[in-house]
Amino acid sequence: MLYIVTCLITEEASTEFSIIGAAADKKKAAAMAAEIYKDYNKVASFQNIEMITEWLATRSSYSFRKDKSHRLQLAITEVDNEKETANKQVIFSAAAEQDELMRKVSQALFEGKHTAERGGEAPSCPIG
């Protein structure tokens, strides 16, 4: 089994996808990915890096957001055939930030409208 480590960095309007490397052992692949996290988050503690290494070894992916405009996504993909099946070919699937925000706003408006309708009476606001 071969494990490929990939990295997606989103900073402001730019996006960079990289193949970091490959390892025959999943724990080595996780350590390789954790090094990328360590370089990206300079203030990460040793314990935090160890926790992320363990998370990567068990879950095979990790996402870290510094702030609204800066994000690091790491993934470990198992490769055991010459050609992977369709469900294993997608490494990252991320909605654009603006699309995700609009979905959440629409959902909140929809839920708020139904909550207001259930009250029975429309709230009144006297104009002075």
Side-chain angles (χ1 to χ4, degrees):
M1 184 84 58
L2 189 62
Y3 299 93
I4 298 173
V5 180
T6 54
C7 170
L8 178 67
I9 297 176
T10 306
E11 293 191 339
E12 302 292 336
S14 70
T15 302
E16 182 179 292
F17 179 79
S18 305
I19 295 177
I20 305 306
D25 179 56
K26 194 168 187 180
K27 289 188 181 206
K28 286 181 184 177
M32 194 183 309
E35 282 297 316
I36 300 300
Y37 169 77
K38 186 170 128 182
D39 289 342
Y40 189 77
N41 184 11
K42 304 277 189 215
V43 296
S45 68
F46 174 77
Q47 292 169 331
N48 186 262
I49 294 167
E50 288 295 311
M51 179 187 71
I52 289 166
T53 304
E54 186 64 31
W55 181 269
L56 285 161
T58 57
R59 300 284 178 118
S60 299
S61 66
Y62 181 76
S63 180
F64 170 73
R65 183 180 298 277
K66 278 186 184 179
D67 57 34
K68 181 177 141 185
S69 303
H70 297 81
R71 182 178 189 173
L72 168 72
Q73 291 175 271
L74 298 166
I76 300 171
T77 306
E78 295 179 18
V79 179
D80 56 1
N81 297 323
E82 287 183 17
K83 183 174 187 247
E84 287 300 319
T85 58
N87 64 337
K88 284 186 156 187
Q89 288 176 354
V90 175
I91 296 173
F92 286 106
S93 177
E97 293 284 331
Q98 191 171 8
D99 293 343
E100 182 66 15
L101 175 63
M102 291 310 296
R103 185 191 67 74
K104 287 181 179 179
V105 167
S106 294
Q107 181 182 359
L109 289 172
F110 178 78
E111 289 171 358
K113 177 182 175 195
H114 285 278
T115 302
E117 287 175 354
R118 284 186 226 126
E121 291 181 23
S124 63
C125 182
I127 300 176

